[in-house]
Amino acid sequence: MLRPSTVRLSTILLLAAAAVFAANVLAADNTRLPDGPGRKLVEEICSFCHGLARLKGQAFTRNQWENVIKGMVSEGAPVTDEEFSLILDYLEKNFGPVEEK
Ligand code: HEC
């Protein structure tokens, strides 16, 4: 038979695990990227090794993004030629340099 103190500890652990799970779900939702062609690819491929938060706040030119993706491919990112240009278009459009007005 379980002693009451054992039961309470396992309840606390369960609640703690649930809280961590909920926090992860919320965090994942926060890193949802802008809609558009290529979004799914970026969400799938570019979250493989690090969070998508890595991309947010970046403002790279097309050239710089090209180099970033090439760098990621050399790290082992599984990107085909076709996916490469889709991802590049997407990143340039959504995470390009902010234009001076
Ligand atoms: C195989 C693992 C892997 C995949 C897949 C991957 N990355 Fe990375 N990424 C890394 C590693 C490791 C670093 C940190 C080392 C570095 O900065 O070069 C990094 C860093 C970055 C950075 C920060 C670079 C900087 O200069 O601050 C960006 C931006 C980035 N990745 C974008 C992407 C994009 C876009 C994709 C999808 C095309 C992607 N990553 C997919 C491994 C990966």
Side-chain angles (χ1 to χ4, degrees), residues 45-46 48-50 54-55 58 65 68 72 75-77 91:
I45 297 174
C46 306
F48 206 70
C49 306
H50 45 68
R54 273 279 167 103
L55 315 185
Q58 301 282 14
W65 273 123
V68 168
M72 296 307 126
E75 295 279 353
L91 292 174

Side-chain angles (χ1 to χ4, degrees), residues 58 60-69 88 91 95:
Q58 301 282 14
F60 291 153
T61 62
R62 186 175 180 87
N63 231 321
Q64 288 170 316
W65 273 123
E66 194 170 349
N67 286 328
V68 168
I69 305 171
L88 183 53
L91 292 174
F95 299 97

Side-chain angles (χ1 to χ4, degrees), residues 33-37 39 58 65 88-96:
L33 299 178
D35 221 342
R39 172 171 71 85
Q58 301 282 14
W65 273 123
L88 183 53
D89 289 346
Y90 176 85
L91 292 174
E92 182 193 21
K93 182 162 177 275
N94 295 288
F95 299 97

